Amino acid sequence: MRQQPNKLQPFFENLNFERKDNTMVINFGPQHPSAHGQLRLVLELQGEQVVKAYPDIGYLHRGVEKMGENMIYNEFLPTTDRLDYIASTSNNYAFALAVERLLGIEDKVPRRAKVIRTMLLEINRVISHLFFVATHALDVGAMSIFLYAFREREFAMDLMEDYCGARLTHAAVRIGGVPLDLPKNWISDLSSFLNILLEQVKLYEDLLTENRIWKMRLEEVGVVTPEDALSWGCTGPMLRGSGIAYDIRKEEPYELYSELNFDIPVSDRNDSYGRYRLYMEEMKESVKILRQLISMYPKTTPEIMAHAPQYISAPKEEIMTQNYALMQHFVLVTQGMRPPKGTVYAPTESPKGELGFYIVSEGEPYAYRMKVRAPSFFHTGLLQDLLVGTYIADVVTIIGSTNIVFGEVDR
Amino acid sequence: MDGYIIATIIKAALILGVISALAGFGTFIERKILAFIQRRLGPMHVGPYGVLQIAADGIKLFTKEDFIPSGANKIVFMVAPIITAATAFIALAAVPLLPEFTLPFTDIVVRPIVSDMNIGILFVIAMMGVGLYGPLLAGMAQENKWGIIGSARTAIQFLSYEVVTGLSLLAPIMMVGSLSLIDFNTYQASGVGSWIIWSQPVAFVLFLISGFAETNRTPFDLLENEAEVISGYATEYSGMRWGMFFIGEYANMITIGFLAAIIFLGGFNPLWIIPGGLAIILKVAFFFFLMLWVRAAWPHIRPDQLMWLCWKVLMPLAVLNILVTGIVMMV
């Protein structure tokens, strides 16, 4: 006799799975070693072949969007670190950009702040892509690549630590600029890191790209046709891996991307192997961008925060010397800035795809509605189409290849 | 006759002790070598250079709670790891580990083989085949779906690669005309030029590949591949029961190393200035290192690709190799 679902043994029997053949319903996660955090996949298996897949999310839900409606804008910024925790600054920046557009001060951000922000964004892209290569290789079984890539990721995180003091949850961007100028020697550290990175990326490519087993495991696995990619709302490497050259850095440039010279790598292979190649190429493009930014930095003036007294506190010296600036600062800290009424959606190209914050403001210091458009969420939905007909071993490859992070799926 | 029985018991006990100690030490070596290949240090804290890590692991394994899941078939669950460990050691009974030597200060000649039976190779292969029951029963007994997938993988992988192992060894057996490993050794006694690897390179490669599959090493590490099936057949095992699977697996690696060294690489014949005993230990150590090296370098393959490799590539090659060997011998 089958037990009915109850509080202690809930779920997955009440999903409509066909149980008439020799199929087995199995819980892949939320505590499976390669479930990338808290993904729960309910798989119906015929032997090792997946007949039906049902991705179940919500195991990391913290109510980040609701928290955003109960915090003043500056308070919420460090919370965004916890979305895509692999590349925190991308989230900080996406939020800051949305608020800046809401306030109408996007153009007032000083040039030095823009250079620093773009640098941080690209370093975060490198950190995230190294993490992808590492975990993807580990899932497929190439254990050494995992440790090789993690060393370079440590170097990149050292750079972040030197800048903002944190390694994982950076909170390195402020609404209206950046909190700090670059420390001494940071630029030279960065350029020596870039040299190491290029060498090491070549090492990974030597180990993987022409490796026969690696190719056997990745080629023709996880094929996302361009139509599928569009209809499921894929962005980032998932979309570019299907032959559609769409990158928000080119389509709707923000920060300095319109001035920078870089390419958007595209692969029309549609499979995991193509996406792996894309990630490798994007790291090289990031190196190119960072090198251009290094030469831009010395040509800027030292201001790092926008001048908008209504919304942004004045610099420290003014607060200490001028009465009015101090009062404004007091109001901004205790009550928070009051943006004008309106709605804003600001898309950015995070390492994983289109990350945007949708904010509805009623003129209060608190957002009326906050919505995060996180790329991984859409890629998780894709899994239910992508996994059918594959083997368990491919399931692991495909989850790795979609590069989903559950901080931003569950929010 | 009494002397023979006592000598055999002593030899068996020695092999059991030494090989299980080596299997334990092998885990340390594996962690160190992998660490050096992967730009890290490996175990460093327990004892000088981390050598006592084995002791720490042993204490942990022995003192861990002996846990049997409530839904499991208790008897089979308890017996399965013993099958793996036991068959791994029984297989070593027919393997000559070192050359003959005289005990110091006596005139007793010791032959370091428990039993020189005339079907040596067949016995070793058969015992490693029986070893399949360990993971198979373990996976089915524990009432865990990952365990079932793991044991299904065990069945297909071991059964298929048994065939390749057997067929690849058939060609050298035809050349030597005996199944005893001692005869293999004497066949290659006249130096490096007489090693069977030169006359049977295809068989050597086939044997090595299927050896990787039979000992469950990367790239054929599918039985307990963590990324896919948690721990496969060993998902619900912990403590010393899990440890027995582990020892069995490492003992199997050593056995495969010895087989490859004796059948293809001249066994324990002296090599230039190196005495025979040292020569075979070096050869086995090389194969052990090779397994770790491959583990560090390569990803692993999918079960269906494993089957493709076995039945569509390796087996036809093995049969072809036997045919060619036969024709050459006839002509």
Side-chain angles (χ1 to χ4, degrees), chain A residues 129-141:
Chain A
H129 283 12
L130 283 172
F131 188 84
F132 163 80
V133 174
T135 50
H136 192 32
L138 186 68
D139 285 346
V140 180

Side-chain angles (χ1 to χ4, degrees), chain B:
Chain B
M1 193 62 200
D2 286 347
Y4 176 73
I5 290 174
I6 290 168
T8 307
I9 290 173
I10 291 175
K11 280 181 202 166
L14 265 179
I15 287 178
L16 192 64
V18 171
I19 300 289
S20 46
L22 272 183
F25 193 63
T27 62
F28 174 73
I29 298 286
E30 167 157 23
R31 291 165 74 169
K32 275 292 182 194
I33 289 178
L34 280 183
F36 288 145
I37 296 179
Q38 292 163 350
R39 306 199 287 215
R40 57 194 174 93
L41 288 172
M44 286 300 280
H45 290 292
V46 194
Y49 213 61
V51 189
L52 294 181
Q53 185 70 41
I54 324 155
D57 287 348
I59 290 169
K60 189 200 99 180
L61 284 181
F62 272 108
T63 52
K64 225 173 176 180
E65 185 190 352
D66 183 20
F67 181 80
I68 300 175
S70 60
N73 183 334
K74 283 207 174 70
I75 298 168
V76 181
F77 187 85
M78 291 195 293
V79 168
I82 300 173
I83 297 177
T84 302
T87 50
F89 285 109
I90 296 172
L92 277 168
V95 179
L97 301 173
L98 294 171
E100 283 185 7
F101 60 93
T102 330
L103 275 187
F105 313 117
T106 56
D107 51 355
I108 306 170
V109 176
V110 181
R111 303 182 68 208
I113 176 169
V114 176
S115 155
D116 180 18
M117 53 187 92
N118 54 5
I119 51 159
I121 293 180
L122 208 57
F123 180 78
V124 177
I125 304 265
M127 267 306 146
M128 294 185 72
V130 175
L132 144 80
Y133 282 104
L136 184 65
L137 293 178
M140 309 241 284
Q142 60 187 265
E143 211 201 15
N144 183 315
K145 288 171 179 174
W146 299 107
I148 290 175
I149 295 177
S151 62
R153 285 183 170 196
T154 313
I156 55 163
Q157 178 171 334
F158 280 9
L159 282 178
S160 313
Y161 277 85
E162 277 300 289
V163 177
V164 180
T165 320
L167 288 180
S168 69
L169 287 185
L170 209 54
I173 290 171
M174 281 156 67
M175 286 174 60
V176 178
S178 164
L179 284 166
S180 161
L181 286 165
I182 303 266
D183 291 344
F184 267 91
N185 189 57
T186 38
Y187 183 86
Q188 307 173 72
S190 54
V192 180
S194 66
W195 286 5
I196 296 181
I197 184 174
W198 309 128
S199 45
Q200 289 289 352
V202 179
F204 175 69
V205 173
L206 292 178
F207 178 76
L208 210 58
I209 292 175
S210 57
F212 273 76
E214 294 231 358
T215 49
N216 185 22
R217 303 295 303 176
T218 317
F220 310 118
D221 181 14
L222 305 175
L223 275 48
E224 40 178 348
N225 174 2
E226 177 167 315
E228 289 158 20
V229 288
I230 322 268
S231 279
Y233 64 85
T235 303
E236 295 284 1
Y237 281 89
S238 64
M240 211 46 222
R241 291 193 198 287
W242 178 81
M244 273 203 263
F245 280 123
F246 211 62
I247 290 175
E249 190 180 309
Y250 276 78
N252 270 335
M253 280 165 72
I254 294 172
T255 315
I256 288 285
F258 268 107
L259 279 187
I262 294 171
I263 297 176
F264 292 100
L265 289 185
F268 45 77
N269 294 305
L271 187 63
W272 297 302
I273 48 162
I274 306 170
L278 192 60
I280 190 163
I281 288 172
L282 286 177
K283 288 167 194 165
V284 175
F286 168 74
F287 283 114
F288 198 84
F289 175 72
L290 188 69
M291 289 177 175
L292 308 185
W293 191 7
V294 169
R295 178 170 176 198
W298 269 330
H300 39 226
I301 64 176
R302 230 162 45 198
D304 59 315
Q305 290 164 343
L306 186 81
M307 290 298 105
W308 166 82
L309 185 68
C310 177
W311 295 108
K312 292 193 178 165
V313 181
L314 299 183
M315 211 198 49
L317 263 179
V319 173
L320 213 65
N321 189 40
I322 293 169
L323 262 176
V324 172
T325 311
I327 291 167
V328 170
M329 280 170 70
M330 292 286 284
V331 173

Side-chain angles (χ1 to χ4, degrees), chain A residues 197-266:
Chain A
L197 182 70
L198 278 187
E199 277 171 33
Q200 296 298 323
V201 168
K202 187 174 177 306
L203 173 77
Y204 315 145
E205 288 191 320
D206 287 350
L207 279 166
L208 293 178
T209 306
E210 293 304 320
N211 187 324
R212 287 192 61 178
I213 298 178
W214 180 258
K215 285 178 98 168
M216 274 165 75
R217 286 296 304 273
L218 263 65
E219 280 178 346
E220 306 298 319
V221 169
V223 176
V224 186
T225 57
E227 297 78 43
D228 275 354
L230 287 175
S231 65
W232 275 103
C234 293
T235 45
M238 287 294 284
L239 184 64
R240 294 195 287 274
S242 298
I244 299 169
Y246 180 81
D247 188 314
I248 294 163
R249 291 177 292 175
K250 287 280 189 199
E251 304 291 326
E252 301 175 48
Y254 48 94
E255 292 306 309
L256 298 172
Y257 285 116
S258 50
E259 298 173 30
L260 294 163
N261 175 28
F262 64 101
D263 299 322
I264 302 298
V266 180

Side-chain angles (χ1 to χ4, degrees), chain A residues 117-393:
Chain A
R117 282 172 166 201
T118 319
M119 277 179 174
L120 296 180
L121 286 177
E122 288 307 314
I123 291 176
N124 271 267
R125 191 178 311 279
V126 169
I127 290 177
S128 173
H129 283 12
L130 283 172
F131 188 84
F132 163 80
V133 174
T135 50
H136 192 32
L138 186 68
D139 285 346
V140 180
M143 191 167 60
S144 298
I145 310 290
F146 172 72
L147 289 143
Y148 292 167
F150 256 56
R151 188 179 77 164
E152 276 66 63
R153 183 168 174 266
E154 286 296 308
F155 291 163
M157 276 156 65
D158 285 344
L159 283 173
M160 287 308 295
E161 188 182 4
D162 288 344
Y163 176 68
C164 66
R167 293 171 70 79
L168 197 68
T169 50
H170 308 138
V173 172
R174 295 286 179 276
I175 297 166
V178 286
L180 302 157
D181 203 348
L182 295 180
K184 249 186 206 170
N185 296 334
W186 198 85
I187 290 284
S188 59
D189 289 349
L190 175 63
S191 47
S192 56
F193 165 70
L194 295 182
N195 294 336
I196 298 176
L197 182 70
L198 278 187
E199 277 171 33
Q200 296 298 323
V201 168
K202 187 174 177 306
L203 173 77
Y204 315 145
E205 288 191 320
D206 287 350
L207 279 166
L208 293 178
T209 306
E210 293 304 320
N211 187 324
R212 287 192 61 178
I213 298 178
W214 180 258
K215 285 178 98 168
M216 274 165 75
R217 286 296 304 273
L218 263 65
E219 280 178 346
E220 306 298 319
V221 169
V223 176
V224 186
T225 57
E227 297 78 43
D228 275 354
L230 287 175
S231 65
W232 275 103
C234 293
T235 45
M238 287 294 284
L239 184 64
R240 294 195 287 274
S242 298
I244 299 169
Y246 180 81
D247 188 314
I248 294 163
R249 291 177 292 175
K250 287 280 189 199
E251 304 291 326
E252 301 175 48
Y254 48 94
E255 292 306 309
L256 298 172
Y257 285 116
S258 50
E259 298 173 30
L260 294 163
N261 175 28
F262 64 101
D263 299 322
I264 302 298
V266 180
S267 159
D268 48 13
R269 294 185 56 102
N270 302 355
D271 59 1
S272 302
Y273 187 74
R275 290 194 285 272
Y276 149 77
R277 294 292 295 272
L278 269 189
Y279 278 98
M280 292 305 212
E281 291 303 318
E282 283 196 7
M283 274 198 272
K284 292 177 194 163
E285 291 302 317
S286 288
V287 171
K288 226 161 90 182
I289 294 174
L290 281 164
R291 284 195 170 141
Q292 294 172 41
L293 288 166
I294 286 175
S295 55
M296 279 184 179
Y297 176 77
K299 293 172 201 152
T300 54
T301 49
E303 292 85 41
I304 49 172
M305 283 296 268
H307 180 71
Q310 202 186 345
Y311 305 123
I312 313 284
S313 294
K316 192 83 175 174
E317 306 88 73
E318 281 183 34
I319 294 174
M320 302 302 266
T321 52
Q322 294 177 18
N323 197 10
Y324 189 68
L326 176 66
M327 281 159 60
Q328 249 179 350
H329 178 64
F330 180 78
V331 171
L332 282 174
V333 169
T334 52
Q335 295 178 12
M337 64 180 80
R338 289 169 187 273
K341 277 189 185 179
T343 61
V344 69
Y345 173 74
T348 62
E349 183 75 20
S350 93
K352 293 173 182 67
E354 177 180 340
L355 172 69
F357 281 70
Y358 175 76
I359 301 172
V360 178
S361 164
E362 297 274 284
E364 297 293 312
Y366 301 92
Y368 178 75
R369 174 78 173 99
M370 178 88 69
K371 168 87 179 86
V372 185
R373 193 262 182 227
S376 296
F377 180 77
F378 297 83
H379 301 161
T380 314
L382 178 67
L383 287 178
Q384 61 177 288
D385 274 4
L386 212 50
L387 295 182
V388 174
T390 58
Y391 295 96
I392 286 195

